[in-house]
Amino acid sequence: MRGTGLKVHITITLILLLGTAMLLANLIMVILWQQSLVQSEAEKISSIIRVSADVITVNQTDKRQADMYSYLHKLETMVGSSCVSIQFGSELPLFAGKSCNHINKLKIDLKKTINAGKPVARTFGSTWGLLFPKPEHLLVVVPFEYRNSAAAIGVTSPLEPVYQNVRKKQKINLVYLLVNILVLSVIGFFRLVKATVKPVEHLVTLTEKYDHSNNFMLFSGKERNEFGQLSAALNRMTRRIEEDRRRLRETVKSLESANVKLQETQNEMIMAEKLAAVGRLSAGLAHEIGNPIGIIQGYLELLQRKNISEEERNQFSQRAIEELNRVNALIRQLLDFARSSPAEKQHISIHTLLQDLLELFRARKKMEHISFHLNLRAEKDVVLADEEGLRQVFLNCLINGVDAIGEKGPDYHGKIVISTDADVTHRKPAAIKVTCRDNGTGIDPSYLDNIFDPFFTTKEPG
């Protein structure tokens, strides 16, 4: 059943609170009751002693006669005392009783009372009361005047009968206490359930049946309390949630529209980039093919002359064929790039490849003003790759470095350093890093985005 846990919790809490409160109240009541009973017992005994003293004084009973003991025994019976004593002046006191185990205490208090002329009422000893240890005996001493001299009567009485009476009556109090706890718990339970559990159950029902068109109204009347405030707060919260949901739907729609526009813009940019790449490719091809075609055209013009020798004719024809082969190779490279055919890979040594290339450059006369340095620091240099492709890449890097140094002037002393290092990024599979540095003019930053485009060049034709 919904709300059962809360009801059980309320019931247990009520019983604990009411039980604790009533037990504390009962404890205070019992303590005050015991004190009142002891005080009443002391007053009762004092009154009986005064009456007995008046009888002794009026009758002028001989204190040495046996009748004095008769009075003491009667007094013992009336007060339920365990020990009764009477003392005249400085004479020794007379004692009577079933158990006079506290004679010394009585002697001291009798003497003090005769000297001071003031009654004494005190407790001593310890016994178990109702809940805590309490005094075991009551001692009462009352002074009186006998034949113009001071005298006193003292009584010790056990307090156990008082405590027994309290314990007997306490059973009735406990029954009354239990009935009160049950009655008050039931009344409080129904009041709290009506004030808290019912509104919570109503709130849970409304939450389960929530529709944005409905409101959380816990109270239909004019009642204004915390639950009414909660109802209003929930209504405000649901309205804010619905408004946020509406704005979120609008934002999603706008984002979808923006995403479509972004996709269209991206496609347009890709197309523009493709057209730009085609333009750069066309310019590169015109640069690469234009030179050999111009040379071929020149040789053909020379071949049309009639005053050349046969040897020159053969030489011009051979050179024209070489330039045609060069054009053919360029077109083949373009076709290979367009087809994206996988290159033939094999295990090659990077160090050996770089050494061969540098030996080729060092042998050329035009490279006398350039110093080449090779730092082979990588322990493993064998890679699986296309040898011709790598050779072309490294060759292009060296040619570009030589050209960049040449832009500094014919007398400029250039320097090209090629280094190999082991890759430290712990990638799988392992890799080698090749670095080519020169002290030439460098690459214009505006060309950095195009350096990997095929046939891209900044050099003039020829």
Side-chain angles (χ1 to χ4, degrees):
M1 177 182 175
R2 186 167 51 195
T4 302
L6 186 58
K7 292 178 181 178
V8 173
H9 182 72
I10 290 175
T11 303
I12 295 174
T13 303
L14 280 174
I15 293 175
L16 289 176
L17 291 176
L18 291 174
T20 302
M22 290 192 174
L23 285 175
L24 291 175
N26 182 69
L27 177 62
I28 296 173
M29 182 184 68
V30 168
I31 292 173
L32 295 176
W33 188 19
Q34 287 178 341
Q35 292 177 353
S36 177
L37 289 176
V38 171
Q39 185 177 358
S40 299
E41 185 71 12
E43 292 176 355
K44 183 188 74 173
I45 293 175
S46 298
S47 299
I48 294 175
I49 292 175
R50 287 191 181 91
V51 172
S52 299
D54 291 342
V55 172
I56 293 174
T57 301
V58 171
N59 294 336
Q60 296 293 313
T61 304
D62 189 353
K63 57 186 177 182
R64 295 181 179 82
Q65 294 179 356
D67 291 342
M68 185 61 68
Y69 289 99
S70 176
Y71 278 113
L72 293 179
H73 286 300
K74 290 179 180 179
L75 180 59
E76 176 191 1
T77 302
M78 283 188 292
V79 299
S81 173
S82 59
C83 185
V84 179
S85 175
I86 188 170
Q87 182 176 355
F88 299 97
S90 58
E91 297 180 4
L92 294 175
L94 302 177
F95 292 94
K98 300 176 182 178
S99 176
C100 286
N101 297 325
H102 311 290
I103 293 175
N104 293 331
K105 295 182 182 295
L106 273 174
K107 285 181 178 180
I108 294 172
D109 288 343
L110 285 170
K111 186 175 181 180
K112 289 181 179 180
T113 301
I114 290 173
N115 293 333
K118 295 181 180 180
V120 174
R122 67 184 182 89
T123 57
F124 63 91
S126 178
T127 186
W128 188 254
L130 180 61
L131 298 174
F132 305 100
K134 291 294 180 179
E136 184 178 7
H137 296 280
L138 175 64
L139 189 149
V140 178
V141 179
V142 177
F144 68 97
E145 186 176 349
Y146 180 78
R147 295 181 181 179
N148 297 326
S149 63
I153 300 176
V155 172
T156 61
S157 176
L159 293 175
E160 181 62 26
V162 175
Y163 301 141
Q164 288 180 354
N165 186 34
V166 172
R167 285 193 287 269
K168 184 184 298 183
K169 298 294 179 59
Q170 186 61 20
K171 294 180 181 179
I172 301 175
N173 288 340
L174 291 176
V175 173
Y176 174 75
L177 183 67
L178 181 60
V179 172
N180 281 346
I181 291 175
L182 292 176
V183 173
L184 293 178
S185 296
V186 171
I187 295 175
F189 172 78
F190 284 106
R191 289 289 300 171
L192 287 175
V193 166
K194 182 179 179 181
T196 59
V197 178
K198 293 297 183 182
V200 170
E201 290 179 345
H202 188 199
L203 177 60
V204 172
T205 302
L206 291 176
T207 305
E208 291 176 349
K209 299 179 180 179
Y210 169 70
D211 185 4
H212 65 273
S213 61
N214 296 331
N215 289 327
F216 284 100
M217 295 303 297
L218 294 176
F219 302 101
S220 57
K222 297 181 179 181
E223 187 172 0
R224 295 182 178 272
N225 54 17
E226 287 77 5
F227 283 104
Q229 297 174 5
L230 176 61
S231 175
L234 286 174
N235 284 328
R236 292 192 296 270
M237 181 187 70
T238 52
R239 285 194 293 269
R240 288 196 299 269
I241 291 174
E242 186 60 31
E243 181 65 21
D244 293 341
R245 184 182 299 170
R246 183 186 61 79
R247 287 199 296 266
L248 181 60
R249 286 195 294 265
E250 294 177 354
T251 303
V252 171
K253 290 181 180 179
S254 63
L255 287 176
E256 290 176 350
S257 176
N259 189 33
V260 171
K261 293 180 179 179
L262 181 62
Q263 189 66 36
E264 294 175 354
T265 304
Q266 184 178 7
N267 293 334
E268 293 175 359
M269 291 177 63
I270 292 174
M271 182 59 65
E273 183 64 25
K274 288 181 178 179
L275 293 175
V278 170
R280 290 192 297 268
L281 182 61
S282 301
L285 282 174
H287 168 76
E288 295 291 339
I289 297 176
N291 290 336
I293 289 178
I295 295 172
I296 294 170
Q297 185 178 2
Y299 286 140
L300 291 176
E301 291 176 356
L302 291 174
L303 288 173
Q304 289 178 355
R305 295 180 181 180
K306 296 180 179 181
N307 58 349
I308 61 174
S309 63
E310 188 67 26
E311 182 180 355
E312 288 177 335
R313 188 179 300 277
N314 292 334
Q315 184 180 2
F316 293 156
S317 299
Q318 183 63 34
R319 290 181 180 178
I321 292 172
E322 291 177 357
E323 294 300 324
L324 285 174
N325 290 333
R326 182 180 172 189
V327 173
N328 183 49
L330 289 172
I331 294 174
R332 186 173 298 278
Q333 289 180 8
L334 178 61
L335 292 175
D336 291 340
F337 170 72
R339 292 169 184 166
S340 300
S341 59
E344 183 180 353
K345 295 183 179 180
Q346 57 183 342
H347 289 90
I348 60 174
S349 171
I350 298 294
H351 291 173
T352 303
L353 180 59
L354 293 174
Q355 289 171 350
D356 293 343
L357 287 174
L358 287 188
E359 289 297 328
L360 175 64
F361 274 81
R362 288 191 181 106
R364 297 180 63 183
K365 292 183 178 181
K366 294 182 179 181
M367 306 298 172
E368 293 177 352
H369 65 289
I370 300 176
S371 61
F372 295 91
H373 301 272
L374 192 60
N375 298 326
L376 305 178
R377 294 188 289 262
E379 296 181 0
K380 298 179 180 181
D381 68 313
V382 177
V383 297
L384 182 64
D386 176 21
E387 183 175 4
E388 291 302 322
L390 281 180
R391 182 183 298 274
Q392 187 66 37
V393 170
F394 295 148
L395 183 62
N396 290 341
C397 290
L398 289 170
I399 291 175
N400 288 334
V402 170
D403 292 342
I405 292 172
E407 293 177 1
K408 291 267 187 143
D411 299 329
Y412 181 75
H413 180 71
K415 181 179 180 181
I416 296 178
V417 180
I418 298 180
S419 305
T420 63
D421 297 277
D423 186 56
V424 295
T425 57
H426 304 288
R427 68 179 67 184
K428 297 295 182 178
I432 184 173
K433 181 171 70 174
V434 180
T435 306
C436 183
R437 301 178 185 272
D438 64 77
N439 59 348
T441 57
I443 302 175
D444 192 326
S446 62
Y447 297 144
L448 291 177
D449 293 335
N450 308 112
I451 59 176
F452 293 106
D453 291 346
F455 304 104
F456 172 75
T457 182
T458 60
K459 299 179 177 63
E460 295 295 333

